[in-house]
Amino acid sequence: MQYVTLEPQIPLALWVPLALAAAALLVAYGLAARDRLSRGRRAGVMALMTVALALPLVILLNPTWLERIPPPEGKPVLTILVDYSASMATRDVEGGKTRYELASQYAAEAARELEDRYEVRLRCFADDSSPTSAEDLADRLPDGATTDLAEAILDALDADRPQGQAVMILSDGIHNAPGGWAPLRESVAKAKAMATPLYVKTVGGQTEVRDLEIELDRPREEVAFVGQSVPVVVSLRTQGSLTGKTRLQLVLGDEVVEQRDVDLTSGGETQETFMLTQETSGLHRYEIRAEPLPGEVTPMNNTVGLLVRVIDEPVRVLLLEGKPYWDTKFLIRTLAADRSIELTAVVKLAEGRLLQRQITRVPATGGSTTTDVPAGGAAEEPSDASTLRDEQWAIRQDAAEILADAETLASYQVVILGRDAEVFLSDEALLRLEKWLKQRECFLVCFRGQPMSQIPQRLGRLMPVRWTPSRDPQHFRVKMTDSGRRLRWLPAAADDALAELPPLATTARIEGREVAGTLATVASGTQERNSPVISYLRVGMGRVVVVEGAGMWRWAFLPPKDQQHDETYGLLWRNLIRWLVTDVELRPSQRMALLPQEISFATTDQAAADLIIREEYLGEKVPEVELSGTSLTEPRRVTPVPAGSEPGRFRVVFGPLPEGQYRARVVNAAVQDDSAEAAFDVRPSDEALKVEAKPQEMKIEIAGPSGGEVLEDTDPRSLADRFEQHLVRTRPERMTRTTAWDRWWLLAAALALWGSTWGMRRWSGLV
């Protein structure tokens, strides 16, 4: 279909004066020719001149031919996506059907009714997507491990579809694919850029799931020393109206180490603490199991794995004290009683006279047989040969040489400073100490606050707190912060009763620094509340810890009414040392460490581990890692790849693995090197547990940003109406435009007209 329109090239307001000027010209010409031409000739000349004068006006009107372009051949595309993940098996829609049954029925009905108007494509999706048919949808089971809406949308988009396209999504909206919402937002933005609206229909509701889940508070593994008791906190969470009693078991291999009955609360959380003690070094895999309860949706999360790496190597500790104090006496006794610690204590007795006491472990066949002395009482007989201790005494004269000697300092992992430590902290010693902290994974502990009356600048910048002198002694009690509680240094009862223990004293006001971590604060007293009591600061590869306040020895010498907290003092110090030396990637004796990124992966996750090798042990070729497991027919070898630019750091990617238990070990590592070994579990995803439909997310994250809408009913005609409205908005009528002066014959006619007019005037004798 063609038609002509006028598109003036000058404003319409100028047309009146132009027309009047042309009319005046014609009148003037007619008056001039009245006496010289006959009536007939005059009429012909006037007609030609009228046409010649009108022609420029017509040119300025710019007549244009418009021709409608027919739309592309073919039908618009409507892609229907049906979610078949495990959460769609929930029966919470009308008629007792599953979400998937309702979604597949609606998809089949829409395909049947709209196939005359659109090219309807059916696709199903969970962790991936694929084409399907109405018959296949009816036969499929909703058992997908995850819901990946982002990938499903991308797969549904057709890059070359000029007829127009739209996507309808039938899902409960539980997007739980790796990467979170960022990939989904990117796919929705791509659909928006391609003018493809996403129409969503949320299937399902706020269904209550009855389930019991147990969880640990450790992301990787627990590290302990031989013979040391380590608290492991287990959380039992219930969903829905699930109550009763379950039996909780701690299992090592096939042996039940401990079991207890636990009362559960509906929709709440219960915590239980197991104390683990291992007498043999190596990597030990425990399981904590809870018996399933009637009505649970699944028992798969009633078991959790726990890896305990037990170390049989001493922690070398150097304690320096400027004067004999009760605090020093009780701290030495507590550390000496720990089988994992080899202690060297140096106490200044007088000017130029220092008493050095060295307590080390010895084999069962040699050395003296001084036994352990517990923190709270008399000596006990050793339980085995590994508790034998060798104790040596010596008198030293030069205090400054202890820290100034680089070789001596390098032999210790932890240095503990008491008060009046000026005699040990010469300028050379401070320089060595700072270098020791920054270049090695070593630790400095100030166990009674300010170690010197005047803190030099070099030492002050290493401290996590600053001190302001105070005239009068100040007394305060202690409470753990949330960060401190998460470390599980103390049982829950002792943690809560910490503020009831005897107060500590200080003669300085403590000021925290923003970059410091705080594990305990002031609970009450003259000190400002929340002022740090146990704080730390990372310095290079090391860490500096300040334990503020004197008088902590009274915690180890409690009156009879508080005897239930008698172990608090010993637990606090032993776990502080354990936290320092185990919260590192590489211990001093380790050449490498293989650490799983999680202790439990889902079947849809990329199972991976970190391999860390000391730079001095890096060879030309990175060693391979061998993976074995209950679900593998034979071991698999993986080559680590560099992780970042830091030398010695590698990532070992095992990829998605089937459900089971796995162990990984560095190939050709020494048999006794348990740091070259890692273990982890692979479990099914929790798709069937988190089944609460997400209509708001479907609306806000998908429908709105793409230009689509939320479908409230199940009538396919409603979807068709919305799609047609979108096509009208996004596909306006297309036309081809051809101006009159682009046609050659019009130009030829105009030239002929002007030539005829000029010829007529010459023939009539008019110039």
Side-chain angles (χ1 to χ4, degrees), residues 78 91 179 277 370 535:
L78 173 63
R91 295 185 179 275
T277 305
T370 304
S535 55

Side-chain angles (χ1 to χ4, degrees), residues 126-127 146-150 174-181:
D127 48 353
T146 56
T147 305
D148 193 344
L149 284 164
I174 306 173
H175 175 69
N176 53 11
W181 290 94

Side-chain angles (χ1 to χ4, degrees), residues 52-340:
L53 289 174
L55 186 59
L57 298 181
V58 174
I59 293 175
L60 292 176
L61 284 173
N62 191 26
T64 303
W65 272 263
L66 299 181
E67 184 176 359
R68 182 179 288 107
I69 300 176
E73 295 183 359
K75 302 176 182 178
V77 173
L78 173 63
T79 304
I80 303 177
L81 297 176
V82 181
D83 184 356
Y84 74 95
S85 60
S87 62
M88 294 290 286
T90 307
R91 295 185 179 275
D92 62 348
V93 297
E94 59 269 17
K97 298 178 180 178
T98 65
R99 298 174 179 177
Y100 176 75
E101 288 173 344
L102 181 64
S104 58
Q105 289 177 7
Y106 177 61
E109 181 182 354
R112 185 174 58 254
E113 292 195 15
L114 301 179
E115 62 183 356
D116 293 337
R117 302 172 63 179
Y118 309 114
E119 180 184 334
V120 181
R121 300 174 181 176
L122 291 177
R123 298 183 67 90
C124 58
F125 73 96
D127 48 353
D128 58 5
S129 70
S130 60
T132 188
S133 63
E135 294 75 15
D136 291 339
L137 283 176
D139 297 335
R140 183 181 291 272
L141 294 176
D143 55 2
T146 56
T147 305
D148 193 344
L149 284 164
E151 190 68 23
I153 292 172
L154 289 177
D155 291 344
L157 298 178
D158 193 335
D160 184 19
R161 200 66 187 185
Q163 298 89 345
Q165 58 182 324
V167 178
M168 181 175 67
I169 303 174
L170 299 170
S171 173
D172 51 20
I174 306 173
H175 175 69
N176 53 11
W181 290 94
L184 177 59
R185 294 188 180 106
E186 292 177 4
S187 63
V188 171
K190 184 175 181 180
K192 174 70 173 179
M194 296 174 63
T196 304
L198 305 177
Y199 300 103
V200 299
K201 173 64 178 176
T202 305
V203 186
Q206 312 301 310
T207 301
E208 178 185 80
V209 175
R210 292 163 53 86
D211 183 62
L212 170 63
E213 177 186 13
I214 64 174
E215 187 177 79
L216 298 177
D217 61 348
R218 299 295 185 190
R220 282 191 175 180
E221 61 184 24
E222 188 68 74
V223 181
F225 294 95
V226 169
Q228 186 179 50
S229 294
V230 177
V232 176
V233 180
V234 185
S235 298
L236 294 90
R237 297 189 183 93
T238 58
Q239 296 186 54
S241 55
L242 190 66
T243 58
K245 180 179 292 187
T246 185
R247 176 158 296 179
L248 196 61
Q249 295 180 330
L250 176 66
V251 181
L252 177 61
D254 297 328
E255 178 187 358
V256 178
V257 178
E258 184 181 349
Q259 64 181 9
R260 63 186 68 167
D261 292 333
V262 181
D263 291 321
L264 303 173
T265 58
S266 176
E269 179 176 330
T270 305
Q271 288 191 339
E272 293 290 324
T273 302
F274 289 101
M275 300 301 296
L276 302 185
T277 305
Q278 265 292 342
E279 298 295 338
T280 57
S281 62
L283 187 63
H284 302 271
R285 187 186 185 281
Y286 289 82
E287 271 194 357
I288 302 174
R289 304 170 182 169
E291 291 184 351
L293 296 175
E296 270 196 85
V297 65
T298 177
M300 74 178 188
N301 56 352
N302 288 30
T303 303
V304 65
L306 170 64
L307 298 176
V308 181
R309 194 179 296 275
V310 182
I311 307 168
D312 189 16
E313 58 186 51
V315 181
R316 301 207 64 203
V317 179
L318 174 63
L319 188 150
L320 304 175
E321 180 62 85
K323 291 180 182 179
Y325 290 100
W326 280 103
D327 277 329
T328 309
K329 175 181 176 63
F330 275 85
L331 180 57
I332 291 175
R333 192 165 81 168
T334 297
L335 298 180
D338 194 328
R339 293 162 50 185
S340 65

Side-chain angles (χ1 to χ4, degrees), residues 313 413 440-443 541 581-595 611-617 648-649 675:
E313 58 186 51
Q413 294 168 254
R440 299 171 60 89
E441 290 180 319
C442 297
F443 314 98
M541 298 178 66
V581 298
T582 60
D583 190 30
V584 295
E585 293 178 330
L586 283 175
R587 300 188 303 277
S589 62
Q590 290 181 305
R591 294 187 176 188
M592 65 179 67
L594 184 63
L595 303 171
L611 176 61
I612 305 166
I613 304 176
R614 288 198 186 276
E615 192 170 353
E616 56 266 31
Y617 295 109
R649 302 187 70 90
S675 62

